[in-house]
Amino acid sequence: MFGNKLQVSLYRYNPEEDKFPYMKKYTIEKPERDIMVLDLLHLLKEDDQSISYRRSCREGVCGSDGMNINGKNGLACITPISSVIKRNKIELRPLPGLPVIRDLVVDMTEFYAQYEKIKPFLQNETTAPEQERLQSPEDRDKLDGLYECILCACCSTSCPSFWWNPDKFVGPAALLQAYRFLADSRDNKTEERLNALSDPFSVYRCHGIMNCVSVCPKGLNPNKAIGEIKSMLHKNKKDIIVSDGV
Amino acid sequence: MKGSLIWNTQRYSSIFILCYLIYIVSFFISENNINFFTWSNFFLSFETRFITSITFILILVHSFIGLWTVGTDYLTKRTLGFLNKPLARYANIFRNMYSFAFSLLGVVYLLTILYIIWL
């Protein structure tokens, strides 16, 4: 229908000017080579300087440019347009469930508040050794698939349980990090961490919908980590962590 | 209340309900001559009545947990506010009415079931 043209439908909202958000359509020449969605946004911004979005490293490390691309959350900088384009159309929206500040920029306060809640740092009150707290290679292996999270919020904002209760349900990203510290042999606050997660909302609002696994741009599995936390909560013992981990 | 208690209650109640289904189905499989009298004998036995009562109480508990989850997901200020902003103000009223309705239904259901089984 559009031949060599690419139609981009972009979520626009400037609270200072617009009463309601709206979708604005842009038609551009289809790039000759496959480019990333972030590059596409740069092309649009050349013509319309008012378009707002976050970006930083542009290589899938900083997690700034998480957005909803044709209905699925992902990082714009590592998503080629060829993988998302449908009938020469691309629809870009902000991450769902979070308040929109402007265009594709969302307010991530609720997301970070949940991250803060799980105390994402090592807690060990024993006397620190002279150099560093050592770990066996097996114990270190347990952290693979956990520490790689870049906090882009793609998973949490694709989770309906997080949409409905972002103040109570910790969300997949923060729960993955919660398990990262529960699984760490150098952390000895396991019981306190588990007690903080034992209410009916923090962990148990996860119904295994698996959107988090489907959208994670780093290929991580928050759902499996949540399952491990649930197992630990049932037994409330640290020794049930299996060595092959997450 | 601990989340694990609610989670376990829902899982174990479903296992019990499944066992009850197997118990009922096994009657139909094992009984060659099914008629009103064999069914009455089976169902009026104390064991069957007792197991049936427990099962229906567990169905009630199981559904209460599910309905409570639905209410606390969808009848909140935030969720109703998504649909319609002014509606968010009445979220607590809607949720309380909803809880009252399913609690009332639960009591009626339980009394009816126990009446049918035991009286």
Side-chain angles (χ1 to χ4, degrees):
Chain A
M1 186 182 175
F2 296 99
N4 281 333
K5 301 277 184 188
L6 183 63
Q7 198 181 65
V8 184
S9 183
L10 188 67
Y11 182 100
R12 300 301 312 267
Y13 179 56
N14 179 355
E16 288 168 10
E17 293 173 7
D18 308 318
K19 198 172 178 190
F20 297 106
Y22 61 97
M23 297 303 290
K24 188 170 178 180
K25 286 186 169 54
Y26 297 85
T27 306
I28 60 164
E29 284 292 324
K30 208 170 177 179
E32 283 180 16
R33 61 184 179 88
D34 198 10
I35 58 169
M36 300 297 167
V37 173
L38 183 65
D39 300 322
L40 183 69
L41 278 167
H42 290 336
L43 288 175
L44 294 179
K45 198 171 169 74
E46 279 175 15
D47 291 334
D48 184 349
Q49 293 287 313
S50 67
I51 297 174
S52 300
Y53 52 91
R54 286 196 182 106
R55 53 88 67 198
S56 182
C57 75
R58 57 103 184 105
E59 56 184 11
V61 175
C62 71
S64 303
D65 59 353
M67 61 186 69
N68 190 273
I69 307 162
N70 269 356
K72 188 177 176 183
N73 289 356
L75 292 180
C77 59
I78 54 168
T79 306
I81 57 169
S82 61
S83 68
V84 289
I85 199 165
K86 280 179 192 161
R87 293 180 193 165
N88 278 354
K89 287 182 186 173
I90 291 184
E91 193 173 275
L92 301 174
R93 291 171 180 269
L95 290 173
L98 295 178
V100 175
I101 296 172
R102 181 173 166 159
D103 297 342
L104 300 177
V105 180
V106 290
D107 180 357
M108 295 180 69
T109 308
E110 284 172 327
F111 174 78
Y112 289 129
Q114 293 299 345
Y115 182 56
E116 190 183 357
K117 211 189 261 183
I118 60 111
K119 299 189 176 167
F121 43 86
L122 277 177
Q123 295 181 79
N124 191 328
E125 284 166 1
T126 57
T127 314
E130 212 164 284
Q131 284 190 316
E132 58 190 325
R133 294 187 195 277
L134 296 174
Q135 236 180 348
S136 69
E138 292 76 29
D139 282 338
R140 168 61 189 78
D141 285 348
K142 291 175 190 170
L143 308 183
D144 286 338
L146 303 172
Y147 76 92
E148 297 95 330
C149 176
I150 55 170
L151 297 174
C152 62
C154 285
C155 59
S156 291
T157 56
S158 68
C159 174
S161 295
F162 189 76
W163 296 342
W164 310 145
N165 290 294
D167 53 335
K168 295 179 190 147
F169 175 53
V170 171
L175 285 172
L176 185 81
Q177 289 313 295
Y179 184 62
R180 180 248 172 275
F181 289 98
L182 285 166
D184 198 314
S185 60
R186 296 164 297 176
D187 189 281
N188 63 10
K189 290 282 181 187
T190 305
E191 202 162 334
E192 288 85 341
R193 288 182 187 279
L194 289 176
N195 286 340
L197 295 171
S198 65
D199 64 281
F201 281 90
S202 295
V203 177
Y204 288 97
R205 270 299 146 123
C206 169
H207 301 307
I209 298 165
M210 308 275 277
N211 280 359
C212 53
V213 183
S214 153
V215 301
C216 178
K218 308 300 278 186
L220 306 178
N221 190 341
N223 199 257
K224 195 175 177 190
I226 293 168
E228 298 285 356
I229 296 174
K230 281 180 183 169
S231 299
M232 293 181 83
L233 281 165
H234 292 306
K235 297 183 180 176
N236 206 351
K237 280 181 188 168
K238 198 172 182 178
D239 57 9
I240 61 151
I241 300 166
V242 285
S243 58
D244 55 355
V246 174
Chain B
M1 190 181 273
K2 292 273 183 192
S4 57
L5 179 67
I6 296 173
W7 194 90
N8 278 324
T9 306
Q10 206 170 26
R11 267 72 192 168
Y12 287 123
S13 61
S14 27
I15 292 169
F16 195 93
I17 294 162
L18 178 69
C19 294
Y20 178 76
L21 276 176
I22 294 167
Y23 174 69
I24 295 292
V25 169
S26 65
F27 164 75
F28 287 103
I29 292 170
S30 63
E31 185 64 54
N32 294 323
N33 183 25
I34 297 172
N35 55 41
F36 175 76
F37 298 105
T38 51
W39 170 251
S40 295
N41 277 341
F42 168 72
F43 206 82
L44 291 176
S45 70
F46 176 79
E47 295 81 27
T48 305
R49 287 203 279 191
F50 180 72
I51 295 168
T52 305
S53 305
I54 298 289
T55 304
F56 280 92
I57 290 169
L58 287 177
I59 289 174
L60 193 68
V61 171
H62 187 97
S63 47
F64 264 35
I65 295 171
L67 290 166
W68 169 77
T69 308
V70 170
T72 46
D73 267 352
Y74 299 112
L75 295 175
T76 60
K77 281 181 185 175
R78 185 183 181 92
T79 315
L80 291 180
F82 272 136
L83 296 174
N84 182 305
K85 229 173 182 177
L87 211 60
R89 276 183 292 166
Y90 306 106
N92 289 341
I93 297 170
F94 284 138
R95 199 172 59 255
N96 289 337
M97 280 166 58
Y98 164 81
S99 305
F100 177 74
F102 77 67
S103 302
L104 189 68
L105 267 175
V107 171
V108 172
Y109 160 89
L110 188 65
L111 291 176
T112 310
I113 292 292
L114 293 179
Y115 178 79
I116 292 168
I117 294 171
W118 293 100
L119 299 174

